[in-house]
Amino acid sequence: MTKIESKIPEGPLAQKWTNYKNNQKLVNPANKRKIDIIVVGTGLAGASAAASLAEMGFKVKNFTIQDSPRRAHSIAAQGGINAAKNYPNDGDSVYRLFFDTIKGGDYRSREANVYRLAEVSNSIIDQCVAQGVPFAREYGGYLANRSFGGAQVSRTFYARGQTGQQLLLGAYQALMRQVNEGNVDLHTRTELVEIVIVEGKARGIITRNLITGKLERHFGHAVVIATGGYGNTFFLSTNAMGSNGSAAWKAYQNGAYFANPAYVQIHPTCIPVHGEFQSKLTLMSESLRNDGRIWVPKKKEDAEAIRAGKLKPTAIAEEDRDYYLERRYPAFGNLVPRDVASRAAKERCDAGYGVGATGLAVYLDFKDAIDRLGRDAIEARYGNLFQMYEKIVDENPYETPMMIYPAIHYTMGGLWVDYELQTNIPGLFAIGEANFSDHGANRLGASALMQGLADGYFVLPFTIQNYLADDIRTPRMSTDLPEFEEKEKMVKEKFEKLLSIKGEHSVDHIHKELGHVMWDFVGMARNKEGLQKALDRILEIKKEFWTNVRIPGKADGINLELEKAGRLADFIEIGELMARDALNREESSGGHFREEYQTEEGEALRRDDEFAYVSCWEYKGDDKEPVLNKEELKFEFVELKTRNYK
Amino acid sequence: MEKTINLKLKVWRQDGPKAKGHFETYEVKNISTDSSFLEMMDVLNEQLIQEGKEPVAFDHDCREGICGMCSMYINGHAHGPDEDVTTCQLHMRKFKDGETVTVEPWRSAGFPIIKDLMVNRNAFDQIIAAGGYVSVGTGGVPDANAIPISKEDADEAMDAASCIGCGACVATCKNGSAMLFVSAKVSQLALLPQGKVERARRAKRMVAKMDELGFGSCTNTGACEVECPKGVSITNIARMNREYLMAKFKD
Ligand SMILES: Cc1cc2nc3c(=O)[nH]c(=O)nc-3n(C[C@H](O)[C@H](O)[C@H](O)COP(=O)(O)OP(=O)(O)OC[C@H]3O[C@@H](n4cnc5c(N)ncnc54)[C@H](O)[C@@H]3O)c2cc1C
Ligand code: SF4
Ligand code: FES
């Protein structure tokens, strides 16, 4: 087994980042101009990194599959962003944010990384305000906060229900300013399809122009992957339709470790599935749990009557309602972390108390909050979410409780990176949701935006210099090098192969099949038998895909089916690795719940003596089993404890 | 309870920017009224693929009304007949069984057609690049609470900032003007102390870029406001005109 070097700096926890910055190598301004950095992705992580690096003087090439950087998936984040400002004076601190994140992640993340995240969180808020992000404010003119799952303090900053939009627009505007100044070469509607390695270092990428279909070569002294998560492996998720795991997967196939693929987050508050043509699931922000109370009927016959359309939820008396989160977890109540809330909903529905036409839904009720605060106050807080719900479900949530059910939302796993956010391939970095770094086995609400912007504004722009400082004498390379040539040829052949199959099933058809297998066996609750079955089924799906997919059109020009096919080919592989990782991890931690490992009360049972490690999967070839390497997690500053939200 | 409908679709098909386009008629059956318009288009595309034909190209991503990518002109309305929604949030319960539905791309000089229902909206990025920001680099900024901002201003800035850059305003305007989009950004930043410093320069540069890119001028018809899925108000246009005049006055 290879030894995993995480490069954690020396010193006490609170001094590590400062020590690192004091001792790292920097690139001087004259040399920065001679260095090209490729940033793939324009979400919060990619846009903030590209803008910051360009401001520093590097030459940046930035890529996105959408028609504009402003449309990256980050735009959809609703609820908010955490920071340890302690403006409400409720006892928050950098340490507490660090501790909550470690605990929320079920002790499966690296202490030093998480502490740094908490440390830079405050600068993010300062930065965004300076950019003109219109965060919510109190009448006194100061910033407002709310609380989110897994925290007992109010540390979440928000811009109505559109926080991701406002933060992304801030980063996008900073990026466009650099585009205007000629420091960023922006490529929209352009997809990374391969990574080029020269003498062991990442030196470029191959892209497909999504309009012309042309394959293009790009050189960079370093390559940064900021392409988001792989939640769409499940077909139905809260992710945008274009979100994909392909860039991370290409990195893996080129030798980068894929860490903790099994750690997937299921979000408890999504609009339930309505039918077989459903294309995506819509999240109802977790912030709703601040004021909404979650319940199902206490009596099975009531639940049955509701499912049959004979009874309305508003007709059920208070004493016949089971506020099961408040009952099971009195200390945190409706604000328990996402994994706990999701499993509790599944438990009630599996037991026969679910509502909605399918029985796969629970209520999120605002009646008490409306009685207490008035309809106007609730509208001011959640107006756009209520409107969205009503447009989709055709019911008015001010009058009848919302229906929600868990759905795939976020992937904690991703490319393995060290403290410098560098993968094990020199010169290849990964930031944002694409890496595995800070959330362990479960991410707390409002922490993804924080991490993406921490990585992009405040961490990568420094740590990447420690690598680039040794590269200042490397001249820009020609993209005629055989390494580029070879990768382009490989990609071309792959697309030709896909187009030549001319089978019976559309890409979506096969993707839905994969999604069902993933949801049934690699979803909210997993067990050995099911996971083995999943591995077999995924293999069949892979075969089906490569022999029976139907892709109309050609490789030239716009071919949306070909784009989707390329991504699905990788989702199938990712799905397999997720199942493999879930099978290996014989414990329950965070978003990973193995039915064999639970307490008598049905709570997750972690096994620290055997599994306090990051699984780092290493690619060995298409038809070979990957090798598992382990990064042992050392807890020097916090004590490993069973999470308790009771 | 689930209901299904059958529809006749007249869809604009166009191979490329220079190709001649035409309407194609299709039928779709058993569409659940709970599904979204784009899910109905998915059904159509699945059908076309099964028939060995090329699916209809259209832009979309988030499918929850926030990325601004979806852009269909349905029965003569940008984003279709429902109010305050994007195409992806439009639901089939708004249509009647047997109805004929016409689906077209945005049509405007500023947004050339790429293929079928897909258009090129890069002009919006160029307008933002011309000045739609606060010129601040990463780091070295004051504490977020150093400058109080009245809740009123913050809320009003947020209203303007809700623009999703979809371009429905341009597609709706008979002059093809981008004033609603531009004024929303100018207003947001002019309302906040952080953006006030550069307000004159910003308004001038963004307007100049808009004119340069071939968008028409605004004659205050107010049509844009009606079709804007995010309810961005034309009071922003009035504010921008003030900003612009002030900037010119200073010259
Ligand atoms: C509905 C929803 C609500 C959420 N709400 C919150 C919240 O309230 N608070 C919070 O903290 N987090 C929230 N999250 C999570 C958070 O939004 C994401 O984790 C985060 O925005 C990811 O940012 P990113 O920059 O890493 O990636 P993304 O925003 O996913 O960006 C990926 C970028 O990569 C590009 N890309 C992808 N593949 C390729 C390729 N092959 N080639 C070229 N470019 C490519 C895309 O074009 C895009 O620009 C939410 C997530 C969802 C789904
Ligand atoms: S102003 Fe409204 S219609 Fe125009 S781009 Fe913005 S959101 Fe779309
Ligand atoms: S697909 Fe994003 S707004 Fe419609």
Side-chain angles (χ1 to χ4, degrees), chain A residues 88-150:
Chain A
N89 194 28
D90 55 2
D92 203 5
S93 64
V94 167
Y95 185 85
R96 193 176 284 274
L97 175 54
F98 152 77
F99 180 77
D100 285 350
T101 309
I102 286 274
K103 175 184 171 198
D106 220 354
Y107 304 91
R108 289 294 174 264
S109 42
R110 232 184 250 149
E111 283 180 330
N113 283 54
V114 177
Y115 195 87
R116 176 178 64 191
L117 174 68
E119 215 176 326
V120 304
S121 67
N122 292 339
S123 308
I124 300 174
I125 305 303
D126 299 342
Q127 187 64 35
C128 295
V129 167
Q131 290 172 342
V133 168
F135 282 120
R137 287 178 184 263
E138 306 289 359
Y139 281 102
Y142 294 100
L143 291 158
N145 286 117
R146 61 184 169 206
S147 47
F148 247 58

XYZ file of all heavy atoms in Angstrom, chain A residues 88-150:
493
model
N -24.310 37.552 16.336
C -25.429 37.546 17.289
C -24.983 37.368 18.741
O -25.819 37.343 19.632
C -26.275 36.336 16.857
C -25.721 35.882 15.559
C -24.309 36.363 15.496
N -23.676 37.234 18.986
C -23.163 37.079 20.353
C -23.785 35.869 21.050
O -24.165 35.935 22.201
C -23.455 38.362 21.150
C -22.665 38.406 22.443
O -21.580 37.821 22.523
N -23.212 39.051 23.450
N -23.893 34.782 20.330
C -24.488 33.591 20.946
C -23.462 32.498 21.214
O -23.790 31.324 21.304
C -25.658 33.057 20.098
C -25.246 32.767 18.644
O -24.053 32.940 18.308
O -26.122 32.358 17.862
N -22.208 32.914 21.346
C -21.197 31.955 21.781
C -20.461 31.263 20.651
O -19.771 30.274 20.872
N -20.585 31.778 19.438
C -19.891 31.136 18.331
C -18.414 31.548 18.326
O -18.034 32.567 18.898
C -20.544 31.525 16.996
C -20.252 30.500 15.910
O -19.626 29.459 16.226
O -20.651 30.718 14.757
N -17.607 30.733 17.671
C -16.182 31.029 17.547
C -15.627 30.158 16.435
O -16.293 29.231 15.978
C -15.454 30.685 18.848
O -15.556 29.283 19.073
N -14.387 30.462 16.016
C -13.742 29.639 14.998
C -13.687 28.197 15.497
O -13.982 27.259 14.768
C -12.326 30.175 14.686
C -11.516 29.160 13.885
C -12.427 31.494 13.938
N -13.330 28.048 16.761
C -13.232 26.693 17.297
C -14.577 25.974 17.241
O -14.664 24.811 16.874
C -12.689 26.692 18.727
C -12.491 25.264 19.214
C -11.311 24.572 18.925
C -13.501 24.592 19.903
C -11.150 23.244 19.309
C -13.346 23.270 20.285
C -12.162 22.597 19.991
O -12.010 21.297 20.363
N -15.640 26.682 17.578
C -16.950 26.009 17.600
C -17.398 25.610 16.183
O -17.948 24.536 15.982
C -18.002 26.901 18.264
C -19.286 26.158 18.606
C -20.270 27.031 19.357
N -19.893 27.217 20.743
C -20.220 26.377 21.729
N -20.919 25.296 21.487
N -19.841 26.616 22.968
N -17.128 26.465 15.222
C -17.482 26.115 13.845
C -16.660 24.904 13.389
O -17.163 23.971 12.757
C -17.252 27.319 12.910
C -17.453 27.085 11.410
C -18.823 26.497 11.098
C -17.274 28.386 10.627
N -15.392 24.930 13.744
C -14.518 23.783 13.454
C -15.092 22.530 14.115
O -15.274 21.496 13.468
C -13.107 24.092 13.990
C -12.316 22.870 14.381
C -11.734 22.065 13.412
C -12.157 22.535 15.725
C -11.009 20.934 13.776
C -11.437 21.405 16.090
C -10.861 20.599 15.120
N -15.405 22.638 15.383
C -15.867 21.466 16.125
C -17.193 20.940 15.556
O -17.355 19.735 15.340
C -16.011 21.800 17.617
C -16.473 20.615 18.409
C -15.583 19.598 18.741
C -17.804 20.477 18.778
C -16.014 18.473 19.431
C -18.247 19.350 19.467
C -17.345 18.351 19.798
N -18.120 21.839 15.289
C -19.412 21.410 14.729
C -19.224 20.700 13.387
O -19.947 19.754 13.071
C -20.344 22.614 14.519
C -20.919 23.134 15.840
O -20.746 22.462 16.875
O -21.537 24.225 15.820
N -18.264 21.189 12.587
C -18.051 20.598 11.267
C -17.418 19.206 11.382
O -17.797 18.278 10.674
C -17.164 21.529 10.408
O -17.730 22.832 10.454
C -17.095 21.073 8.964
N -16.473 19.073 12.302
C -15.842 17.758 12.545
C -16.900 16.776 13.061
O -17.022 15.648 12.582
C -14.706 17.892 13.592
C -13.502 18.569 12.965
C -14.350 16.539 14.184
C -12.551 17.652 12.233
N -17.681 17.245 14.029
C -18.699 16.375 14.616
C -19.779 16.060 13.580
O -20.156 14.905 13.394
C -19.310 17.077 15.833
C -20.467 16.318 16.470
C -21.089 17.131 17.620
C -22.369 16.471 18.109
N -23.227 17.373 18.898
N -20.246 17.090 12.884
C -21.264 16.885 11.850
C -20.779 15.895 10.800
O -21.542 15.085 10.290
N -19.494 15.935 10.496
C -18.905 15.025 9.509
C -18.636 13.649 10.084
O -17.995 12.822 9.434
N -19.112 13.438 11.306
C -18.993 12.149 11.989
C -17.538 11.687 12.093
O -17.225 10.518 11.925
C -19.863 11.079 11.294
C -20.552 10.181 12.319
O -20.268 10.328 13.529
O -21.366 9.326 11.906
N -16.658 12.626 12.382
C -15.250 12.326 12.648
C -14.584 11.550 11.526
O -13.876 10.582 11.746
C -15.121 11.579 13.983
C -15.742 12.346 15.130
C -17.071 12.148 15.492
C -15.008 13.316 15.815
C -17.655 12.880 16.513
C -15.574 14.048 16.847
C -16.901 13.826 17.178
O -17.474 14.562 18.194
N -14.854 11.991 10.317
C -14.191 11.353 9.193
C -13.500 12.394 8.313
O -13.305 12.182 7.121
C -15.202 10.519 8.374
C -15.676 9.245 9.081
C -14.547 8.245 9.273
N -14.938 7.098 10.067
C -14.719 6.995 11.401
N -14.111 7.961 12.067
N -15.092 5.902 12.052
N -13.181 13.557 8.891
C -12.435 14.546 8.103
C -11.153 14.931 8.834
O -10.975 14.610 10.001
C -13.296 15.766 7.790
O -14.047 16.143 8.911
N -10.324 15.668 8.133
C -9.005 16.029 8.643
C -9.102 17.283 9.521
O -9.561 18.317 9.051
C -8.142 16.371 7.434
C -6.832 15.667 7.361
C -6.085 16.200 6.159
N -5.983 15.228 5.095
C -5.932 15.559 3.796
N -6.027 16.810 3.418
N -5.805 14.625 2.900
N -8.629 17.183 10.730
C -8.742 18.320 11.654
C -8.153 19.607 11.072
O -8.770 20.666 11.120
C -8.001 18.004 12.956
C -8.734 17.076 13.888
C -7.937 16.820 15.159
O -6.689 16.863 15.094
O -8.553 16.599 16.202
N -6.948 19.513 10.533
C -6.245 20.731 10.099
C -6.999 21.440 8.973
O -7.100 22.671 8.960
C -4.829 20.395 9.640
N -7.536 20.661 8.036
C -8.281 21.285 6.936
C -9.531 21.985 7.459
O -9.858 23.096 7.052
C -8.734 20.230 5.927
C -7.617 19.777 5.033
O -6.571 19.362 5.521
N -7.821 19.869 3.732
N -10.235 21.301 8.343
C -11.488 21.859 8.830
C -11.236 23.116 9.653
O -11.973 24.098 9.552
C -12.273 20.798 9.634
C -13.539 21.401 10.207
C -12.604 19.596 8.762
N -10.158 23.100 10.424
C -9.878 24.292 11.222
C -9.586 25.486 10.307
O -10.076 26.594 10.521
C -8.702 24.058 12.187
C -8.661 25.132 13.244
C -9.399 25.001 14.424
C -7.966 26.319 13.030
C -9.419 26.012 15.363
C -7.980 27.337 13.964
C -8.713 27.174 15.133
O -8.749 28.185 16.057
N -8.830 25.233 9.268
C -8.520 26.312 8.319
C -9.803 26.856 7.684
O -9.981 28.065 7.517
C -7.585 25.784 7.230
C -7.284 26.805 6.144
C -6.326 26.257 5.109
N -6.897 25.136 4.376
C -6.195 24.344 3.573
N -4.904 24.538 3.415
N -6.780 23.350 2.935
N -10.699 25.947 7.359
C -11.972 26.366 6.766
C -12.707 27.319 7.705
O -13.177 28.385 7.298
C -12.823 25.122 6.479
C -14.248 25.355 5.980
C -14.230 25.961 4.588
C -15.032 24.030 5.949
N -12.787 26.936 8.975
C -13.483 27.782 9.951
C -12.761 29.119 10.090
O -13.384 30.178 10.210
C -13.556 27.065 11.298
N -11.444 29.063 10.023
C -10.632 30.266 10.186
C -10.863 31.282 9.061
O -10.947 32.479 9.314
C -9.169 29.817 10.162
C -8.251 30.587 11.051
C -6.843 29.964 10.998
O -6.719 28.727 10.867
O -5.895 30.754 11.081
N -10.933 30.806 7.829
C -11.088 31.768 6.730
C -12.554 32.141 6.473
O -12.836 33.030 5.678
C -10.426 31.307 5.399
C -8.951 31.006 5.607
C -11.147 30.119 4.799
N -13.470 31.463 7.174
C -14.890 31.692 6.885
C -15.273 33.168 7.011
O -16.052 33.677 6.210
C -15.764 30.836 7.801
O -15.651 31.259 9.142
N -14.707 33.848 8.007
C -15.109 35.239 8.219
C -14.687 36.148 7.066
O -15.404 37.078 6.700
C -14.521 35.761 9.532
C -15.162 35.065 10.724
O -16.262 34.523 10.616
N -14.476 35.058 11.857
N -13.526 35.858 6.500
C -13.062 36.686 5.376
C -13.998 36.568 4.186
O -14.106 37.489 3.379
C -11.671 36.255 4.923
O -10.807 36.204 6.011
N -14.650 35.409 4.055
C -15.554 35.228 2.909
C -16.697 36.235 2.993
O -17.052 36.882 2.011
C -16.127 33.796 2.873
C -14.991 32.778 2.753
C -17.139 33.641 1.749
C -15.453 31.336 2.865
N -17.264 36.356 4.180
C -18.404 37.271 4.333
C -17.945 38.707 4.050
O -18.614 39.458 3.335
C -19.016 37.162 5.754
C -19.385 35.700 6.065
C -20.238 38.072 5.903
C -20.337 35.040 5.093
N -16.789 39.071 4.580
C -16.255 40.416 4.321
C -16.111 40.645 2.813
O -16.503 41.675 2.280
C -14.874 40.593 4.975
C -14.922 40.422 6.490
O -16.031 40.508 7.062
O -13.854 40.189 7.095
N -15.535 39.646 2.148
C -15.285 39.761 0.713
C -16.594 39.945 -0.059
O -16.717 40.808 -0.923
C -14.559 38.497 0.218
C -14.101 38.573 -1.212
C -13.056 39.649 -1.404
O -12.232 39.891 -0.513
N -13.086 40.329 -2.531
N -17.573 39.119 0.281
C -18.824 39.156 -0.474
C -19.550 40.488 -0.262
O -20.113 41.049 -1.202
C -19.716 37.983 -0.079
S -18.969 36.416 -0.542
N -19.538 40.995 0.964
C -20.173 42.289 1.219
C -19.469 43.374 0.394
O -20.111 44.207 -0.237
C -20.156 42.623 2.730
C -20.509 44.089 2.965
C -21.133 41.713 3.472
N -18.150 43.305 0.330
C -17.402 44.308 -0.442
C -17.758 44.236 -1.929
O -17.733 45.235 -2.634
C -15.901 44.107 -0.251
N -18.125 43.052 -2.394
C -18.499 42.898 -3.810
C -19.907 43.397 -4.110
O -20.312 43.457 -5.261
C -18.478 41.416 -4.197
C -17.114 40.795 -4.255
C -17.211 39.292 -4.448
O -18.261 38.702 -4.204
N -16.130 38.680 -4.869
N -20.672 43.669 -3.045
C -22.050 44.110 -3.260
C -23.069 42.983 -3.206
O -24.154 43.096 -3.773
N -22.736 41.899 -2.501
C -23.731 40.835 -2.305
C -24.783 41.340 -1.312
O -24.432 41.739 -0.202
C -23.065 39.543 -1.773
C -24.110 38.544 -1.301
C -22.172 38.928 -2.854
N -26.046 41.368 -1.715
C -27.083 41.943 -0.837
C -27.583 40.953 0.215
O -28.710 40.498 0.165
C -28.194 42.321 -1.826
C -28.025 41.377 -2.972
C -26.584 40.974 -3.032
N -26.733 40.665 1.184
C -27.154 39.782 2.279
C -28.325 40.399 3.038
O -28.469 41.628 3.083
C -26.009 39.606 3.281
C -24.936 38.640 2.846
C -23.623 39.068 2.710
C -25.234 37.303 2.604
C -22.614 38.182 2.340
C -24.231 36.411 2.235
C -22.923 36.853 2.098
N -29.106 39.531 3.682
C -30.215 40.013 4.505
C -29.675 40.834 5.678
O -28.625 40.521 6.232
C -31.006 38.825 5.030
N -30.412 41.890 6.028
C -29.989 42.756 7.114
C -31.128 43.023 8.096
O -32.297 42.918 7.745
C -29.478 44.096 6.561
C -28.140 43.922 5.904
C -27.579 45.164 5.300
N -26.346 44.795 4.624
C -25.132 44.934 5.174
N -24.989 45.463 6.370
N -24.062 44.562 4.493
N -30.751 43.394 9.296
C -31.722 43.782 10.311
C -32.049 45.266 10.128
O -31.362 45.967 9.395
C -31.148 43.572 11.717
C -30.610 42.174 11.994
C -31.701 41.117 12.110
O -32.897 41.472 11.985
O -31.353 39.940 12.292
N -33.060 45.748 10.870
C -33.435 47.153 10.730
C -32.296 48.096 11.072
O -32.190 49.186 10.539
C -34.697 47.471 11.536
C -35.924 47.000 10.772
C -36.577 45.825 11.128
C -36.368 47.691 9.650
C -37.658 45.365 10.394
C -37.446 47.243 8.904
C -38.090 46.080 9.279
O -39.142 45.619 8.540
N -31.420 47.689 11.972
C -30.291 48.547 12.335
C -29.239 48.646 11.237
O -28.279 49.392 11.362
N -29.407 47.879 10.172
C -28.454 47.970 9.076
C -27.351 46.924 9.135
O -26.496 46.858 8.257
N -27.371 46.101 10.198
C -26.331 45.085 10.315
C -26.823 43.740 9.764
O -28.025 43.525 9.592
C -25.871 44.972 11.779
C -25.182 46.238 12.205
C -25.848 47.214 12.948
C -23.880 46.489 11.790
C -25.228 48.404 13.284
C -23.239 47.679 12.127
C -23.919 48.637 12.860
O -23.297 49.818 13.171
N -25.855 42.871 9.519
C -26.171 41.611 8.855
C -27.021 40.681 9.724
O -26.800 40.573 10.937
C -24.881 40.893 8.439
C -24.145 41.620 7.304
C -22.680 41.232 7.275
C -24.804 41.303 5.969
N -27.964 40.004 9.096
C -28.850 39.071 9.802
C -28.280 37.647 9.707
O -27.568 37.315 8.772
C -30.243 39.115 9.178
N -28.611 36.844 10.684
C -28.189 35.432 10.692
C -29.356 34.519 10.979
O -30.334 34.927 11.594
C -27.145 35.187 11.797
C -25.796 35.756 11.447
O -25.297 36.635 12.121
N -25.222 35.269 10.371
N -29.243 33.264 10.534
C -30.201 32.271 10.974
C -29.464 30.979 11.310
O -28.264 30.865 11.083
C -31.293 32.060 9.942
C -30.862 31.575 8.582
C -32.120 31.542 7.705
N -31.868 31.352 6.301
C -32.700 31.773 5.338
N -33.773 32.456 5.629
N -32.462 31.520 4.069
N -30.204 30.025 11.871
C -29.517 28.786 12.235
C -29.857 27.683 11.254
O -30.858 27.729 10.544
C -29.839 28.382 13.669
O -31.216 28.465 13.902
N -29.001 26.697 11.215
C -29.111 25.596 10.255
C -28.903 24.303 11.015
O -28.390 24.302 12.132
C -28.005 25.756 9.198
C -28.528 26.078 7.833
C -29.297 27.193 7.629
C -28.235 25.253 6.755
C -29.768 27.495 6.355
C -28.700 25.541 5.487
C -29.469 26.669 5.278
N -29.253 23.191 10.386
C -29.115 21.889 11.020
C -27.719 21.645 11.574
O -26.735 22.052 10.986
N -27.649 20.970 12.738
C -26.368 20.564 13.301
C -25.654 21.649 14.073
O -24.517 21.475 14.479
